[in-house]
Amino acid sequence: LCAIVAPAEAQNYPTRNITMIVPFAAGGPTDVISRIVTAHMAQTLGQSIIIENVVGAGGTTATTRAARATNDGYTLITGHMGTHAASVPLYPKLAYHPEKDFEPVALLAGTPILILARKDFPPKDLKEFVAYVKANAEKVNAAHAGIGSVSHVSCELLHSILDVKPVGVPFNGTGPAMNALVGGQVDYMCDQIVNAVPQINAGTIKAYAIATPARNPSLPNVPTTAEAGLPAFQAQAWNAVFAPKGTSPAILATLNAAAVKALDDENVKKRLLELGSVIPAAADRTPEALAALVKAEVAKWSAVLKPAS
Ligand code: MLT
């Protein structure tokens, strides 16, 4: 008889608080999604999950720290399309590799990208926005959350389609970038929907279009990029939990089960959907599915992005 016996520590896990590193400022999409899901995971696990916002370098500072953390299940990170894919081609000296240095735990949410602008930015719709940005590329600026962040990479895509190179204004996350957009200190931003729904509904910013094939139920009046005249711009990001490489399979299974349970909770679902997130289908919630997503996304972004100069 052959039985795989997990070490006692893994069997009893967790016996103390867990730290979830969020690689961007509080109030932004990664922070909000992490807080909604980990609050429920903590109930399942019977231990608190403390969010630690560690900012800088488009999320790569925090992700380096998470890669180097002890692999005992007590330090995790909510990574995303930027930290765990786009950063690979953008940072040739990146101190971690998303596939080699992390264990995938669970995909938490898909996050469609919107083109947003300060309320008094002159263009009225997407067609006018395109014409205006092309005509004023030296004057306008785009807020983002650092090189390699989702907001940076998404607007890079947009800019390559428009063949313009406006100035980028970096922040430590799109939480603070959104404050600057609302305050009129920056012109526009390509941001994940989670950050935008409350502001769009409050009328404090403009939304030109959502870069997905269909409109989002949380923003029924915002046209798709295809409807608004720019079908080539399609972008949706994702957020997911990762543990440092070598974390025990028993711990990873416990964490995955807690995340999946959270995504099935009616209240968690409601909150994520209200903010426009796409809740992963059952088949996309496994560590294997997340590993495949990271692999595909690293390959995809490595083919289109060049090292930041
Ligand atoms: C954030 O949480 O601030 C965002 O995910 C930043 C980004 O990647 O654009």
Side-chain angles (χ1 to χ4, degrees), residues 144-171:
H144 61 71
I147 304 295
S149 63
V150 167
S151 42
H152 167 251
V153 171
S154 304
C155 257
E156 284 289 291
L157 261 189
L158 175 67
H159 294 155
S160 72
I161 292 166
L162 303 187
D163 196 21
V164 292
K165 284 196 192 310
V167 171
V169 184
F171 291 81

Side-chain angles (χ1 to χ4, degrees), residues 24-25 28-31 80 145 149-152 172-175 191-192 239:
F24 296 97
T30 320
D31 183 72
H80 69 6
S149 63
V150 167
S151 42
H152 167 251
N172 280 334
T174 52
D191 198 14
Q192 297 166 79
N239 289 256

Side-chain angles (χ1 to χ4, degrees), residues 50-73:
I50 315 287
I51 301 283
E52 192 182 339
N53 300 88
V54 179
V55 302
T60 61
T61 303
T63 312
T64 300
R65 184 153 141 199
R68 292 175 180 162
T70 308
N71 54 9
D72 57 4

Side-chain angles (χ1 to χ4, degrees), residues 261-284:
K261 194 169 173 192
L263 293 177
D264 279 334
D265 177 78
E266 287 308 321
N267 196 38
V268 170
K269 265 201 275 195
K270 182 169 168 280
R271 291 187 66 199
L272 288 174
L273 290 172
E274 273 168 3
L275 294 172
S277 311
V278 178
I279 305 213
D284 298 331

Side-chain angles (χ1 to χ4, degrees), residues 165-303:
K165 284 196 192 310
V167 171
V169 184
F171 291 81
N172 280 334
T174 52
M178 180 61 78
N179 291 341
L181 198 67
V182 171
Q185 288 115 33
V186 289
D187 292 328
Y188 67 98
M189 174 157 76
C190 303
D191 198 14
Q192 297 166 79
I193 192 165
V194 174
N195 209 23
V197 171
Q199 298 299 347
I200 294 167
N201 289 339
T204 55
I205 57 169
K206 272 184 192 174
Y208 291 122
I210 184 163
T212 46
R215 291 189 184 202
N216 191 285
S218 70
L219 294 170
N221 298 326
V222 175
T224 66
T225 45
E227 289 172 330
L230 194 64
F233 184 53
Q234 297 290 326
Q236 176 167 305
W238 46 269
N239 289 256
V241 176
F242 297 86
K245 196 74 183 173
T247 304
S248 117
I251 290 176
L252 295 172
T254 300
L255 289 168
N256 177 269
V260 167
K261 194 169 173 192
L263 293 177
D264 279 334
D265 177 78
E266 287 308 321
N267 196 38
V268 170
K269 265 201 275 195
K270 182 169 168 280
R271 291 187 66 199
L272 288 174
L273 290 172
E274 273 168 3
L275 294 172
S277 311
V278 178
I279 305 213
D284 298 331
R285 297 178 184 183
T286 64
E288 293 75 23
L290 178 55
L293 175 69
V294 170
K295 191 180 178 66
E297 288 277 278
V298 169
K300 170 184 157 180
W301 291 109
S302 296

